Amino acid sequence: MFSTTASAKSDSISVPATEDLRLYDIATAPNSDRIIKDVQTLVDFGTRHTLSDTKSETHGIGAARRWIKAEFERISAQCGQCLEVIEVSSTNTGKRIPNPTEIVNIIAIQKGQTDPNRVVMMSGDIDSRVSDVMDSTSISPGANDNASGVAGALEAARVLSQYQFNGTIVYAALSGEEQGLYGGAALAQYAQQHDWHVEAVLNNDMIGNIQGINGVVSNHTVRVFSEGVRIAETPEEAKERYFSGGENDSSSRNLARHIKSLADQYMTNLDVKLIYRLDRFGRGGHHLPFNKAGMPAVRVMETNENYNRQHQDIRVENGIEYGDVISGVDKDFTAKLTALNAISLAAMAWAPAPPTNVTISGEVTADTHLKWQKSDRKEVVGYRVYWRDTTESEWSHSRYVGNVDQFTLKNMVIDNYLYGVAAVGNNGNTSPVVFPGRTGAF
């Protein structure tokens, strides 16, 4: 079925390892007791509303973010100051921020050893709310939405700070989400200003609930949302995509597929549901500002939402309990989704960067030809070519083709399949798959 170009002879190729045993350890490392303790600490600040008290040491968002910063600094002290803990802030006004307000994110940066400008990120949201989005004084525990995400980021930092990586890992506690995604926008701008090449943003927004509004109780599935067509696409790029395809192959979507493949390999009792839309119907989250900045970003969250526990005043009405209280957070499930983030961050930070300048050709011929920019980094041992039927949702076939810059798939008509390329590392890790052209570029 296949033949190689002159630059990739199959009889001279030694296929590298396809798994990294360290990731099995990372998959079981998150501690559910530590996580639920952090959720309780965040709940105990009373409210973390963006417009709440910033001066108190015990109440409001100011106290919460200072505690998060101190906790990241404590983690850093235990790994020999391996984390750079900073604040990234902006002053904003808007529909839900009537007066100029400083939005402060707490960021912990674990700098990569060989490729520090390449960044993978896990984020959670500090702020909370009740029924009235402008109510900054009522008790607003925000246990699942989104103390669970922040607690997950803290725990991921504890686990991964025990390792060293090629690329940089960023753990982010973002503010201003409920008022208009301001914290994410500020961090995306900071990343651009500091020449970060952001390969992945894993936005964790509600990773603790297992009991759905529809009565389903399950602790073994997770949703990963991703944009299909890039929101940052230019008219010229749209024209290219229109003729070459790729509506289902943005970098964010292939990032989501990569996360699922890692879960399938390294985790047990966790099924990743790929949701092929930006977010829940008519709703949004803190991955969107990164998408708008042209960065690959997805939303990681529970499958079974309970709307009685989201954006609600604490009350009992007609026998129904409302409010985002800690009893709605399952600690073991939160630890499991934290582990999913940890293996994804680690695998990508250990893997080479995704290939660049991937192109494809083969119109009106029997063969499909892929080309890419070959890396000169020593951690890159070669490349793997992927393909699938146009109706398939995930990559179904692949072939390792060696340390080359092109490959021809003989007797595979370009019209009938979708194709991609990934870089293969010397430690068993592979980059996300890159779809050809600007449509799928990382």
Side-chain angles (χ1 to χ4, degrees):
M1 182 178 179
F2 308 102
S3 73
T4 62
T5 64
S7 58
K9 295 184 180 299
S10 59
D11 58 2
S12 64
I13 295 175
S14 176
V15 179
T18 57
E19 61 182 345
D20 186 336
L21 298 182
R22 294 170 295 185
L23 295 172
Y24 291 108
D25 295 330
I26 291 172
T28 58
N31 185 302
S32 61
D33 289 330
R34 286 193 305 232
I35 290 171
I36 202 67
K37 181 180 178 182
D38 288 345
V39 172
Q40 184 66 66
T41 298
L42 289 164
V43 165
D44 288 344
F45 289 112
T47 179
R48 303 185 307 279
H49 191 282
T50 298
L51 306 180
S52 64
D53 190 349
T54 61
K55 302 299 184 183
S56 171
E57 291 301 317
T58 58
H59 186 86
I61 193 168
R65 67 197 186 206
R66 286 189 291 274
W67 174 79
I68 294 166
K69 185 176 183 181
E71 191 62 19
F72 275 133
E73 289 171 340
R74 190 182 71 82
I75 295 168
S76 183
Q78 293 177 344
C79 63
Q81 304 301 327
C82 71
L83 303 179
E84 179 187 2
V85 184
I86 63 172
E87 296 182 359
V88 175
S89 63
S90 62
T91 298
N92 301 94
T93 56
K95 182 179 179 181
R96 293 181 173 183
I97 304 181
N99 300 309
T101 300
E102 187 179 28
I103 308 296
V104 181
N105 303 315
I106 307 301
I107 312 299
I109 303 168
Q110 186 174 350
K111 190 159 290 186
Q113 302 297 299
T114 63
D115 197 4
N117 281 350
R118 181 168 61 88
V119 172
V120 295
M121 184 186 309
M122 178 183 182
S123 69
D125 304 317
I126 302 173
D127 54 311
S128 64
R129 59 163 288 190
V130 289
S131 301
D132 180 359
V133 71
M134 300 303 294
D135 182 350
S136 62
T137 58
S138 294
I139 296 299
S140 178
N144 188 44
D145 184 14
N146 188 25
S148 64
V150 173
L154 287 166
E155 183 65 7
R158 294 187 189 102
V159 171
L160 298 183
S161 60
Q162 304 308 304
Y163 300 84
Q164 292 184 336
F165 299 93
N166 297 336
T168 291
I169 300 177
V170 170
Y171 313 93
L174 304 176
S175 294
E177 192 264 349
E178 302 289 3
Q179 307 308 112
L181 311 179
Y182 289 102
L187 185 54
Q189 183 180 47
Y190 180 92
Q192 291 173 321
Q193 291 171 343
H194 288 77
D195 297 321
W196 288 0
H197 185 87
V198 178
E199 179 180 321
V201 177
L202 280 58
N203 168 46
N204 286 256
D205 195 344
M206 293 185 286
I207 60 171
N209 182 70
I210 63 172
Q211 182 177 355
I213 193 72
N214 58 356
V216 174
V217 179
S218 172
N219 69 351
H220 68 270
T221 66
V222 56
R223 293 180 291 179
V224 179
F225 291 83
S226 60
E227 64 175 3
V229 175
R230 295 183 304 114
I231 193 171
E233 184 181 65
T234 67
E236 293 77 15
E237 291 165 351
K239 183 177 181 180
E240 174 191 327
R241 174 182 51 77
Y242 186 80
F243 287 100
S244 64
E247 295 83 358
N248 197 22
D249 278 281
S250 67
S251 55
S252 295
R253 185 133 301 166
N254 279 314
L255 168 60
R257 292 185 179 111
H258 192 60
I259 293 168
K260 176 174 171 53
S261 70
L262 291 167
D264 291 345
Q265 178 67 47
Y266 294 106
M267 297 197 66
T268 57
N269 195 29
L270 183 65
D271 296 326
V272 175
K273 294 173 64 69
L274 296 177
I275 307 298
Y276 285 172
R277 54 163 45 114
L278 171 67
D279 210 314
R280 299 149 304 158
F281 190 84
R283 304 177 73 182
H286 240 152
H287 52 308
L288 178 58
F290 297 95
N291 287 148
K292 287 183 174 180
M295 302 172 188
V298 299
R299 178 181 184 133
V300 179
M301 72 173 301
E302 64 209 25
T303 299
N304 302 294
E305 290 185 73
N306 191 326
Y307 309 121
N308 297 336
R309 297 173 180 167
Q310 295 177 17
H311 301 177
Q312 296 284 349
D313 295 335
I314 300 175
R315 67 193 191 282
V316 177
E317 214 170 80
N318 298 321
I320 299 173
E321 296 182 355
Y322 293 87
D324 189 1
V325 296
I326 196 167
S327 60
V329 176
D330 184 278
K331 67 178 185 178
D332 294 324
F333 181 66
T334 309
K336 190 183 295 186
L337 298 199
T338 298
L340 174 65
N341 280 267
I343 64 167
S344 299
L345 296 170
M348 287 186 285
W350 271 323
T356 58
N357 299 324
V358 179
T359 62
I360 191 168
S361 60
E363 302 93 318
V364 298
T365 73
D367 307 331
T368 297
H369 189 66
L370 288 155
K371 295 181 68 175
W372 54 90
Q373 180 69 46
K374 183 180 175 182
S375 175
D376 59 1
R377 287 189 171 276
K378 63 181 181 181
E379 60 264 27
V380 180
V381 296
Y383 297 87
R384 184 172 286 273
V385 169
Y386 291 76
W387 65 95
R388 70 180 196 270
D389 284 335
T390 61
T391 55
E392 288 184 293
S393 61
E394 298 173 49
W395 297 108
S396 57
H397 296 80
S398 70
R399 178 177 177 174
Y400 180 71
V401 298
N403 197 9
V404 296
D405 63 0
Q406 57 186 296
F407 191 81
T408 296
L409 295 164
K410 287 287 188 181
N411 292 319
M412 288 194 70
V413 176
I414 192 172
D415 305 323
N416 297 342
Y417 302 91
L418 298 170
Y419 302 90
V421 182
V424 178
N426 56 12
N427 52 21
N429 291 294
T430 300
S431 76
V433 178
V434 180
F435 186 83
R438 181 57 194 142
T439 294
F442 277 74

